[in-house]
Amino acid sequence: MNEAVPVTRVTDHGTAKLMPDVDRERAWLLTVDGAPQSYVDLDEPAHLEFEYTRRLGHVLDTVAEPTRPLDAVHLGGGAFTLPRYLAATRPGSRQDVVEADRGLLDLVAEYLPLPEGAGVTAHGTDARAWLETAPENSADVLVADVFGGSRVPAHLTSVGYARAAARVLRPDGVYVANLADTAPFGFLRSQLATFASLFAELAIIAEPGVLRGRRFGNVVLVAAHRPLDTAALARRTAADAFPARVEHGPALRDLTGDARPVRDEDAVPSPVPPAGAFGIG
């Protein structure tokens, strides 16, 4: 028998651990320094285990007509959950994955290799540095899920970063990011102000308890220059096991309030999560 066993390795940015799921034969959980980063099922790449990942997947499902291949950029690699998802749901997509932790890239390539012809190219470098030299107007969608430990790095929160992302996106492209915050939402509000300074349309997706300030949690930010299909997003997120709400328009402007766009010199990381916020049992 070739029973899957956990794998632990010290990588460039922490201690990564791959743990097999006892309930799914070829499924794995990736943690870095104890914080869950990715879940992948090698036999079912369209299976998205984490709730916030499903919400990112809903955005990918609604940015274009079903099955149409996309040119996608993923900032933050993890175990390549969403690149695998997009390759399965939109065959022929061309994807770039930017991950600063080269050791993590090596670990994933060794134990969780991508299928032949997946159309995914990995880049072991800093997300913003890569964006600033990437071809202009080259991506249909840009997914940002970058955490240093459990915090979004400061240099990925400013207008300078948002401008680099907007430059890489095509005019009808969509930016989507995984953020985390809680009331009074100082970080989230600053991100809304920052991206509103460059994109005409914004929306967020989060569980009602997070939006009401009852607990710390993930918030998915979506930005574009064209109208977003918020009705489709609302239907999909409401049908999840843990339903989420989609906010946009006046409600989002009210949430943003008097927050100002973040300059590079003022940028700070996202808040420190409370103990156990992203842990596993």
Side-chain angles (χ1 to χ4, degrees), residues 158-260:
S158 69
V159 171
Y161 160 74
R163 186 176 294 113
R167 187 187 67 83
V168 171
L169 284 168
R170 294 185 173 123
D172 62 346
V174 175
Y175 175 88
V176 54
N178 177 36
L179 308 175
D181 202 1
T182 191
F185 299 116
F187 176 72
L188 176 60
R189 293 172 64 244
S190 76
Q191 292 307 285
L192 291 171
T194 296
F195 280 85
S197 70
L198 289 162
F199 290 91
E201 300 286 336
L202 297 182
I204 59 171
I205 310 168
E207 290 182 30
V210 173
L211 291 175
R212 293 183 185 125
R214 293 177 179 171
R215 64 179 185 83
F216 189 95
N218 296 99
V219 179
V220 169
L221 168 66
V222 190
H225 291 301
R226 60 176 172 88
L228 299 164
D229 194 347
T230 53
L233 283 175
R235 288 193 299 270
R236 289 168 180 264
T237 57
D240 282 339
F242 293 93
R245 276 181 19 214
V246 177
E247 296 285 3
H248 61 100
L252 218 52
R253 289 191 288 273
D254 289 344
L255 175 59
T256 306
D258 60 358
R260 304 294 297 274

Side-chain angles (χ1 to χ4, degrees), residues 78-144:
F80 288 42
T81 301
L82 286 171
R84 297 172 200 268
Y85 178 83
L86 203 59
T89 59
R90 295 181 180 274
S93 292
R94 184 179 62 188
Q95 304 185 72
D96 289 290
V97 177
V98 186
E99 170 58 61
D101 192 333
R102 293 172 182 257
L104 181 60
L105 288 176
D106 292 341
L107 176 66
V108 171
E110 181 178 350
Y111 287 94
L112 308 176
L114 290 162
E116 194 74 26
V120 178
T121 303
H123 308 269
T125 189
D126 175 76
R128 182 164 171 180
W130 188 89
L131 279 182
E132 289 173 344
T133 59
E136 187 175 355
N137 297 331
S138 59
D140 298 308
V141 62
L142 194 162
V143 182

